[in-house]
Amino acid sequence: RASLGAPPMFLSARGLTASLGVLLPVLTVARGVPQAVRVYKVDAEGVSRSTWLLVIAVAELWTAYGFVFRVPAQIAANVPSALLAGLIVYRVARAERATARSLASAAALTAGAAAVMTASLATHAGWVLSVPAVLGSLFLYLPQLAKVLREEHLVGVSLTTWLLALLTAVGWGAYGLLIHQLPVWVPCTVTIPSSFVIVVRLLRPRLMRHTICQERLRGRTGGALRGATGCESEKKGGGL
């Protein structure tokens, strides 16, 4: 009976591809939600405006790529992602008093993405669109990576967002391999290690604060009052 149909391995790969095609757009959009919530409710300190400007431009390129190469997962993922990234850029720009400059940068990147898409359609050359999309994706997380490695105050950076970014990068890498789309999986060779390092950098101070808090609560390094204060600070610093 098995010989009459497709091999089980093929069915499994096809099922995984279909599942990822549904799941990855959801994860890609969800990635930006905790960061958007955090910059509006907590602070924007430590958040890289450049990374989220790149997210806007790259999302526009991948949306065009999805239309041209018929990859609907890219369209579903990147339209709402660009909108969320725009909200984040606006809030970070206001905090840095750079709203006009950020709006100009976003407009220029959008115009560039539109020009690339037009050139690709006019010349029927897919590489005109895929090369900028891949290059943009390769550099996507590097500004935030540089910022977390250089700066100490990162209260505005959402750990949840970067955990989702890591998971999403792994998923897009697998999806690109399954559908044999080199431009989809190649950027993940950079975004996976970049997001992993960001996650580790964000986790380290949280784990240190948690350890100190627990030691204070046990009376190892201070009294009960100071211990309670430390734990309150830990709670305030947590969240998204």
Side-chain angles (χ1 to χ4, degrees):
R1 291 180 181 178
S3 61
L4 296 176
M9 186 178 296
F10 174 77
L11 292 174
S12 176
R14 188 167 60 183
L16 179 59
T17 302
S19 298
L20 286 173
V22 174
L23 180 62
L24 286 172
V26 176
L27 286 175
T28 303
V29 176
R31 172 192 64 183
V33 173
Q35 186 62 78
V37 171
R38 192 167 183 87
V39 295
Y40 279 93
K41 286 195 171 182
V42 181
D43 202 338
E45 189 176 15
V47 178
S48 169
R49 185 161 41 97
S50 298
T51 277
W52 292 99
L53 279 168
L54 276 173
V55 168
I56 295 173
V58 170
E60 290 167 344
L61 287 170
W62 281 119
T63 299
Y65 181 92
F67 278 113
V68 173
F69 294 101
R70 299 177 184 177
V71 185
Q74 290 286 7
I75 301 168
N78 286 291
V79 172
S81 289
L83 296 174
L84 268 173
L87 291 174
I88 295 167
V89 167
Y90 177 72
R91 179 65 185 89
V92 175
R94 285 193 62 187
E96 296 177 351
R97 298 180 180 178
T99 306
R101 188 164 68 248
S102 295
L103 288 174
S105 298
L109 289 169
T110 299
V116 168
M117 181 178 66
T118 303
S120 177
L121 291 171
T123 60
H124 302 286
W127 65 268
V128 174
L129 182 57
S130 60
V131 169
V134 170
L135 289 176
S137 298
L138 284 169
F139 291 101
L140 194 60
Y141 296 159
L142 296 185
Q144 185 64 72
L145 176 62
K147 202 171 182 74
V148 300
L149 292 177
R150 185 176 64 246
E151 298 184 7
E152 289 296 325
H153 302 290
L154 304 170
V155 67
V157 185
S158 168
L159 174 61
T160 306
T161 279
W162 289 101
L163 285 168
L164 286 171
L166 176 58
L167 179 62
T168 304
V170 172
W172 280 117
Y175 185 73
L177 290 170
L178 286 167
I179 64 172
H180 308 292
Q181 290 277 0
L182 188 105
V184 177
W185 67 260
V186 165
C188 301
T189 61
V190 176
T191 56
I192 290 172
S194 298
S195 53
F196 177 78
V197 173
I198 293 170
V199 166
V200 171
R201 175 65 182 86
L202 294 175
L203 274 175
R204 188 172 61 185
R206 285 167 168 81
L207 293 174
M208 289 176 64
R209 285 197 302 268
H210 179 73
T211 301
I212 292 170
C213 174
Q214 293 302 312
E215 288 179 350
R216 285 179 176 174
L217 284 174
R218 295 189 187 103
R220 293 179 182 174
T221 60
L225 181 59
R226 284 193 297 139
T229 303
C231 287
E232 286 302 317
S233 298
E234 171 69 19
K235 289 176 182 177
K236 288 177 183 177
L240 295 171

